[in-house]
Each structure stands twice: as structure tokens, then as C-alpha cells.
Amino acid sequence: MTPFEYLKQNESKRFQDLFSLLRFPTVSAKSEHKEDIIACAEWLKLHLGELGFKATLYPTKGHPIVYAEYIVDKKLPTVLYYGHYDVQPPEPLDLWKTPPFEPQIKDGYILARGACDDKGQFFAQIKGLEAVIKTSGTLPVNVKFLIEGEEESHSANLPVFIKKNKKLLRAEVVVVSDTAQFNKELPAVTFGLRGIAFVEVFVYGPNKDLHSGGFGGAVGNPINILCTMVGKLHDKDGKIAIPGFYKDCKPISRWVKNQLKKLPYNETNFKKAIGIPALHGEKGYTTYEKLTSRPTCDANGITGGYQGEGGKTIIPAMASCKITMRLVPDMNPHDICDKIEKYLMKIAPKTVRVKVNKHGGARAVEVPVDGPWLEAAGRAIKAGFGKEPVFIKEGGSIPIAVEFKETLGIDTLFIGFGQNDDNIHSPNERFRVVDFENGCKTAAVLPFELARVDK
Ligand code: BES
Ligand code: MN
Ligand code: MN
């Protein structure tokens, strides 16, 4: 039997297994899910163990890391697969057409939180390898899996693990399936991701909520003030107004500009799909450049005052806002956090007290677009999806990606199986059944192609 035949024959079990994985509500941001996360990690350990992997859970200060290896022969190349089994919070729940942790298939889509980001994607890699193991009794390369439970919470504990376990993680190449294809017709290899920096700003006014009639007019309102401050993060041309923000921001190279221009990017479709009346952003850049290769500064959530039913006439005691900034090479997240803090403190009026919690972040990543590993990946994608991949950049971040190069010295192949309209981080997350299937096929061919590369 060939691996493809195995995949076909075991289709229903393969989906059952994926559904088991998707049923764990592994929301890393919420402490109430700690036990669910441990249960999911245990399940993965067991599942990989059944395939012949030596699997271990490494506890961290946060959620456990699943590590598993299938070592065939020290002389063969070693491939390190990375993925994350944690997911973003599913809220707002009332917008889900099916419950987020009750996976099902509808109209050619697998529906569940984590279906695409990232359970469905790394599981396609596992299932492709399973097909090879079950049909040939072995693998053509050594395989290591590193599946973390904190990616959606900034991978706080993974860098330490990687630094402590360089030998354990030694490999020739890293494979990550946690990105998207260019579109439904064009599979892709991603050569650049943005970095991220995260702060939370708190604005404190009076020592308690006050009657807005009795006090309004003479007391600074933390919500009004916070909104003004957030409004000052950009200038009228869409540039970020934080002093020094662009200091280390590398301009988009001519090569990247040309590469992006080659892709059939459709602004009208983009606008339509997300339902915005007009496009937005920094002057002088195309939409695709803005989405992938320019830095941003966005409020992600703002709160304060009364939000319950009916009205309440108050001057609130405080307001706060979570802000993330997407970074491009060579911006440094700590430096950017310092700069936004300084700026927010400077523009805050004397009528309130302001505090900024700086959470750091991760730098942007760029990987080579040539070399034998990439060619091998291209051949595997061709075998799985029936088409040569294009090279793309993406705007999202995978915080740990830089560590693979900097700590372990290994280049990463970002082979994403998702689509930009899979609703990751949104209600009704989904993953196309064909993308999962072609992903499994790609994954079954990839180790053979990587084994052919001699370095
Ligand atoms: N898989 C995404 C990153 C991604 C999304 C890459 C879309 C390419 C296209 C990842 O799980 C993610 O969401 N990362 C977070 C990191 C953050 C929480 C530190 C992100 O980008 O917001
Ligand atoms: Mn992801
Ligand atoms: Mn994500």
C-alpha cells in the first residue's frame, strides 16, 4: 500500500482523531482551561506514542510542551516539526454557527476553534508521517516534534526550553505548518512573517466612579482621555506617530517588492470578504505590502466604565487598552515597548495617572527563498496540492520562529495549509477538508523529499 492509499483507507479514523484533538478547549489565555490543556497534551503524547514516537511532556511555568521523536538512524537528516495545540479564546460565542469545541464537517469545511490555527495543520503533518510509518514500517528521516501550548499567549516559556535543550532539538531543518496558502488556487511557502510587541495601558482618574452630573466638567474622564491618546498613535497620513518607531524599520527591499508584485493580489476581493467600506492605511504602499511588510500599531481591546444593560451616568475611575504592534526587520520588541511607553506618558494630560505594562514580544522573521530544502518542500507541495507553491510574506507572527535560527541555527520551512478566510482568531474558524487532505498528502511526501537533500 502507498501512503496516499493508506490516507484514503483510514480517512474516517483520521477525521475521528482530528475531532478528538479539536474537542479539547485549549485556550491558553484562560487559567480555567489549565486542565483541558494538560489533557490535550497527554492525548497528543499518547497518540504520537502509538505511532512509534518516543513522546514526553515537559512541564513549564505555563502549559506543557509536547516533545516526541522518531529516530531512525543518526546518519539520516533530522527534521524538527513545530506546532501549537493551544487556541485563541472563542468569544463572542453567540456569533458561532456551531459550538467552537464540537467539531463537525459542513459544506467542505471542518468547523472548530483550532481547526486551522493550528491543530488541523500540525495534525496533517502527523497523519502524513503516520501514513509513511504504517506503510513502510519506518521513516526516511529522523523526526522530532515540538508542539507547544502557549503560542497564542506569546510563547513565554518556549525560548528557555529551546535554550536549555539545544542538543535534544538538533536538526537540519524546521518545518512549520501554521500559515496560509496564497489563495484557494495557489499553495505557498511563506518566507517572511511580522514580529509583534504588546503593551497594556491603564489610565486612572478619580479614586472611584463619580456622578457625571455632580463631577463632570471638572474631572478628567479616563475613557475620553485614553481615546484621545489612542487617537494620537497615528498621524493623518497613517504613519505611526511614536517618536523613533521607524528607526530600525528596514524599508521593503526591491527584491521583496518585486516578489509581492508578481502575486495576483486582489484588493477588491479583500475588501469585499471582510466587509469594509474602504481600504485604510499608510500612504505610499499597496494593500499587500501594508499587510505583510509594514509595521502597525493597533488597539485590540479597550475597556472602562459601565457596560451593563441600560445606562449609568458616571465619570469612571479608570480605563485601559491592550495594544499590539506588528514589527518588521530589524525592529526590536523591547525597544518598541519602551518607545510607546515614553510616548503615552508624554501625551497623557496631568489630570490622570497613566501606567504602561510592557509585555515584550518577538522579532520579525525572514527565511531564505532558495536552497535545497526549499526545493524539496516545493516538490512535496506539488505532490500534495497538484501545483507548484508561490513564495509569499504574511502579516501574522509566530513568536518562536526567530529562535530556531538564532538559538538552534536552523532555517525554517513555513508550509501553511490554511486560507486567509479560514476565520482564525474569529468566530466560525474553519479548515477546508481539501486543504487538510492535501496537507496530509504533502506531509507524506515531504520526508522523502527532505531525505534526498544532502547537505
Ligand atoms: N498562526 C498564527 C500566525 C499567522 C497567522 C501566520 C496568519 C500567518 C498568517 C499564530 O497562531 C498567531 O496567531 N500568532 C499570534 C502571536 C501572538 C499571540 C503573540 C499573532 O500573530 O497574533
Ligand atoms: Mn498559529
Ligand atoms: Mn493564532
Side-chain angles (χ1 to χ4, degrees), residues 260-277:
L260 300 186
K261 223 183 280 166
K262 274 194 234 164
L263 297 163
Y265 192 79
N266 187 320
E267 294 197 349
T268 314
N269 286 354
F270 170 72
K271 204 170 83 174
K272 247 217 217 111
I274 53 173
I276 52 169

Side-chain angles (χ1 to χ4, degrees), residues 84 117-118 151-152 178:
H84 63 93
D117 187 10
D118 175 41
E151 197 270 350
E152 302 292 9
D178 191 23

Side-chain angles (χ1 to χ4, degrees), residues 84 88 117 151-154 178-180 193 196 326 394 396-399 424-425:
H84 63 93
Q88 288 271 334
D117 187 10
E151 197 270 350
E152 302 292 9
S153 306
H154 300 242
D178 191 23
T179 51
L193 289 168
I196 191 164
R326 297 285 166 177
E394 290 188 272
S397 312
I398 300 179
I424 65 170
H425 297 204

Side-chain angles (χ1 to χ4, degrees), residues 191 254-263 288 369 390-392:
F191 69 91
R254 184 176 302 271
W255 185 86
V256 168
K257 267 192 182 280
N258 284 336
Q259 190 67 28
L260 300 186
K261 223 183 280 166
K262 274 194 234 164
L263 297 163
Y288 193 45
V369 290
V390 290
F391 289 108
I392 64 172

Side-chain angles (χ1 to χ4, degrees), residues 2-68:
T2 67
F4 283 13
E5 285 163 358
Y6 177 90
L7 287 170
K8 185 80 217 146
Q9 236 176 54
N10 290 273
E11 185 183 301
S12 86
K13 168 80 167 43
R14 189 153 43 88
F15 279 91
Q16 271 172 36
D17 290 343
L18 175 61
F19 281 17
S20 301
L21 175 61
L22 291 171
R23 272 188 208 106
F24 293 100
T26 52
V27 182
S28 56
K30 292 199 187 157
S31 47
E32 69 194 70
H33 288 296
K34 199 168 170 45
E35 295 305 316
D36 299 316
I37 289 173
I38 293 171
C40 183
E42 292 283 359
W43 185 91
L44 279 167
K45 178 185 152 179
L46 214 73
H47 197 78
L48 285 159
E50 279 167 8
L51 301 181
F53 281 77
K54 203 178 103 207
T56 318
L57 294 192
Y58 286 88
T60 71
K61 275 187 222 150
H63 305 306
I65 293 163
V66 181
Y67 174 79

